[in-house]
Amino acid sequence: MAVDLSLSWLGLEMESPLYNASGVMCRLREELDAVAASAAGALITKSCTLEAREGNPEPRYFSTPMGSINSMGLPNQGYPYYFQYAAEYDYSTGKPLFVSLSGMSLQDNLTMLQALDDLQLPCLPEVNLSCPNVPGKPQLGYDFAATAAALCAISRVYARPFGVKLPPYFDVAHFTQMAEVLNACENLRFVTCINSIGNGLVVDMDSESAVIKPKGGLGGLGGAYVLPTALANVREFSRLLDHKYVIGCGGIDSGAEAFMHILCGATAVQIGTCLHEEGVGAFSRIQSELSDIMEAKGYHALTDFRGKLKTL
Ligand SMILES: Cc1cc2nc3c(=O)[nH]c(=O)nc-3n(C[C@H](O)[C@H](O)[C@H](O)COP(=O)(O)O)c2cc1C
């Protein structure tokens, strides 16, 4: 029997579980169109802010054989650009559209969600919790009380299903606390794990220098560097969340890592660094590798192995 990669969740039908991670191939309409025309099963826009932003000075992205480091500074066209795209998008193609929001404050996120609600479009928002909170305090996703307050405020202005993009957590107590906060929000329907591992530093031996310019070289890590952390976050939130979907992101470079994410509980998976390096051909390659793995293991559908990680 042929392998079937399709999935159905939140009333959405997808032919494939793979799509782009926010920030990669999604800043401009042409890039989004290229993802839509590829083998990807869905697409998501660049995290947007109220106003357009140039982002940080270059070089602000650097790749190594083990992944990537970036400090982009949220370069984006401003939310009206992406909402316009969402208004004109052809939803009959069968590829769901997600819109990533990353306001510079809670009020900015509420303003954007209110505007999105007014449009009544069939796209779904993914609110990026790696956004500024109060100066001197950690990003929103690392402040549990502020996240709880933000989710309450979001639910008041946006009564439809939405998701959040979570930073990685590293402590069992943090998984538990965050899951409690997320479980308390009824129309939060999905969480995407993980955003980049924050504030890494890649050093070039020859020049004895940092490789990116912003923040003295500090930047978010993606790619193979982050795979085990991403899998742990997918696994733990899949176990701890009630009736919410987990979308896996981090370190997917081939069918094997996509399989691992789904085995750990991911409903669908997003691809960042690998897509940045390889372009949209990555979707068909990874999809056929995933099919081959499933066929070799005798699995016909994603539900045959989703969330079925064995422990010793
Ligand atoms: C160039 C670049 C830009 C990114 N911009 C965003 C962004 O705007 N919003 C967001 O939620 N994540 C952003 N990310 C993080 C990715 O979506 C993803 O969570 C992370 O890179 C881990 O996935 P990967 O290992 O496949 O790269 C960005 C990553 C990269 C490499």
Side-chain angles (χ1 to χ4, degrees):
M1 205 210 284
V3 164
D4 177 8
L5 291 181
S6 71
L7 60 153
S8 172
W9 62 295
L10 279 184
L12 308 169
E13 308 289 334
M14 286 167 56
E15 289 288 310
S16 156
L18 312 173
Y19 60 115
N20 65 303
S22 179
V24 180
M25 286 290 301
C26 58
R27 199 164 114 202
L28 298 174
R29 162 183 295 275
E30 295 72 28
E31 296 173 301
L32 289 159
D33 286 346
V35 176
S38 76
L43 57 158
I44 185 166
T45 64
K46 170 72 186 172
S47 294
C48 61
T49 49
L50 279 188
E51 310 284 344
R53 290 168 57 91
E54 287 289 326
N56 290 334
E58 305 209 14
R60 57 194 186 180
Y61 171 93
F62 188 89
S63 76
T64 78
M66 290 173 66
S68 66
I69 182 166
N70 85 83
S71 177
M72 304 298 287
L74 279 177
N76 77 93
Q77 309 296 107
Y79 83 93
Y81 179 93
Y82 303 100
F83 287 14
Q84 182 71 27
Y85 186 85
E88 289 166 10
Y89 182 69
D90 179 5
Y91 293 89
S92 70
T93 57
K95 297 192 181 189
L97 174 67
F98 297 85
V99 178
S100 173
L101 308 176
S102 192
M104 305 307 286
S105 66
L106 173 60
Q107 187 48 55
D108 287 4
N109 279 327
L110 298 178
T111 303
M112 292 190 282
L113 284 162
Q114 180 71 66
L116 190 61
D117 194 47
D118 290 345
L119 292 170
Q120 292 285 311
L121 297 170
C123 62
L124 282 163
E126 179 184 277
V127 181
N128 182 359
L129 293 190
S130 294
C131 57
N133 181 9
V134 176
K137 285 253 216 168
Q139 54 161 289
L140 188 58
Y142 286 149
D143 183 331
F144 301 106
T147 297
L151 293 178
C152 277
I154 288 172
S155 298
R156 277 197 295 273
V157 303
Y158 194 83
R160 305 165 71 197
F162 73 99
V164 290
K165 173 90 167 273
L166 295 177
Y169 299 95
F170 304 94
D171 192 296
V172 171
H174 292 163
F175 287 128
T176 321
Q177 282 172 43
M178 195 57 184
E180 211 170 286
V181 166
L182 299 169
N183 275 331
C185 183
E186 210 173 299
N187 53 329
L188 174 75
R189 300 296 292 115
F190 67 96
V191 304
T192 302
C193 300
I194 58 170
N195 213 315
S196 322
I197 294 186
N199 297 307
L201 179 62
V202 170
V203 173
D204 180 73
M205 274 298 282
D206 292 334
S207 59
E208 301 174 14
S209 169
V211 296
I212 56 170
K213 186 168 179 177
K215 293 171 70 178
L218 299 190
L221 303 177
Y225 291 119
V226 312
L227 177 69
T229 298
L231 293 175
N233 278 260
V234 168
R235 165 76 171 165
E236 289 310 292
F237 284 110
S238 298
R239 283 190 328 107
L240 295 167
L241 296 180
D242 301 326
H243 305 108
K244 301 190 194 298
Y245 297 93
V246 176
I247 306 304
C249 179
I252 299 176
D253 214 15
S254 76
E257 297 83 33
F259 182 91
M260 290 180 207
H261 268 270
I262 297 166
L263 189 69
C264 288
T267 292
V269 294
Q270 301 176 344
I271 301 170
T273 301
C274 168
L275 176 63
H276 193 282
E277 294 303 305
E278 187 176 338
V280 291
F283 291 117
S284 49
R285 177 181 62 79
I286 296 172
Q287 190 172 303
S288 86
E289 291 166 356
L290 177 60
S291 295
D292 289 349
I293 291 167
M294 287 170 60
E295 198 166 348
K297 288 176 172 285
Y299 294 135
H300 300 308
L302 300 174
T303 46
D304 291 347
F305 64 98
R306 182 180 290 126
K308 295 192 177 161
L309 177 76
K310 295 174 196 154
T311 54
L312 306 179

